[in-house]
Amino acid sequence: MAKQLDYHTIREIFDRFQASEPEPKGELHHVNAFTLVVAVALSAQATDAGVNKATAKLFEIADTPEKMVALGLEGITEHIRTIGLYRNKAKNVLKLSEILVANYGGEVPNSRAALQSLPGVGRKTANVVLNMWWHYPAQAVDTHIFRVGNRTGICPGKDVVAVERAIEDNIPVDYQHHAHHWMILHGRYICVARKPKCGACHIRDLCPFEEKTL
């Protein structure tokens, strides 16, 4: 774990992230808040590409909680069987859809606590939805952000909650909205787990990672 970087270095890092990708986007396909919740919930222990492939036809016929309930467990299961843990995830999608219909008038709530009360929706999923749909500067810490935050010293922490707090405390406010997207993309394509592509990294000179590769 690297030491926490100073404010000016962090600002320079995010200046460069912004210059490279002014409007970073999440890679999960969705058409509304409901399909975003479902897609993020399905992405646990699965790739975004795999989820997008599975949900392409699902969201064509079930893009609201009411339609998802009508599709039923077997219908949901059939569409997502290519995704890991699909049986349990299908049950969660059906149950969360039923709860949205019964308790929220078919609308997705925009509070973290309400989102986390839904089956299959944890803090990370709730933060993704808050950030991507309602543009709230919530920070969804996944394995990529955890790795990048600790290697670079942008937001070091022993667990995801500590990293989330470090992002909120240390990244300039004007970069908070897109911070987790920039870090996810950096971790997914440059600062990869086994052999980081340091030679292609545009923040290499600012990064204290001791095991830099050529």
Side-chain angles (χ1 to χ4, degrees):
M1 181 190 300
K3 292 183 179 180
Q4 176 70 56
L5 293 177
D6 64 84
Y7 171 84
H8 296 291
T9 303
I10 292 175
R11 174 164 281 283
E12 175 62 24
I13 285 173
F14 282 92
D15 283 345
R16 295 184 190 182
F17 281 157
Q18 184 178 56
S20 176
E21 187 73 41
E23 291 291 331
K25 304 293 184 183
E27 296 182 325
L28 286 172
H29 297 167
H30 60 283
V31 296
N32 53 30
F34 171 68
T35 53
L36 178 58
V37 170
V38 173
V40 180
L42 292 176
S43 71
Q45 297 180 314
T47 66
D48 287 0
V51 172
N52 290 337
K53 184 177 180 180
T55 58
K57 292 184 179 179
L58 174 63
F59 291 161
E60 285 182 5
I61 61 175
D63 59 355
T64 68
E66 293 84 356
K67 292 177 182 178
M68 196 69 75
V69 171
L71 185 59
L73 183 60
E74 289 187 8
I76 297 170
T77 303
E78 184 60 32
H79 279 89
I80 68 169
R81 62 172 57 253
T82 57
I83 300 175
L85 307 175
Y86 71 93
R87 293 187 187 278
N88 191 53
K89 289 178 179 179
K91 293 176 183 177
N92 285 338
V93 169
L94 178 60
K95 186 61 178 177
L96 74 83
S97 300
E98 292 172 340
I99 291 173
L100 290 175
V101 172
N103 298 346
Y104 298 98
E107 299 294 326
V108 175
N110 62 351
S111 81
R112 183 182 288 116
L115 286 166
Q116 286 188 245
S117 72
L118 300 172
V121 177
R123 186 178 182 87
K124 186 189 81 170
T125 298
N127 282 346
V128 170
V129 175
L130 290 172
N131 184 288
M132 290 182 63
W133 193 257
W134 282 288
H135 308 296
Y136 181 80
Q139 308 301 332
V141 179
D142 67 354
T143 56
H144 297 303
I145 292 181
F146 188 82
R147 179 173 66 255
V148 170
N150 279 292
R151 275 182 179 172
T152 63
I154 293 173
C155 48
K158 294 182 178 180
D159 54 46
V160 294
V161 174
V163 170
E164 181 181 327
R165 289 175 178 169
I167 293 174
E168 295 172 346
D169 289 345
N170 298 300
I171 293 176
V173 171
D174 48 321
Y175 288 137
Q176 292 263 334
H177 180 212
H178 290 316
H180 89 278
H181 278 131
W182 279 317
M183 294 177 71
I184 286 172
L185 293 173
H186 190 64
R188 183 173 289 166
Y189 298 111
I190 301 295
C191 195
V192 295
R194 293 190 178 181
K195 191 175 181 180
K197 302 173 183 178
C198 299
C201 178
H202 52 284
I203 64 167
R204 183 179 182 180
D205 58 311
L206 303 173
C207 175
F209 182 51
E210 294 181 356
E211 300 173 34
K212 288 180 181 177
T213 60
L214 297 177

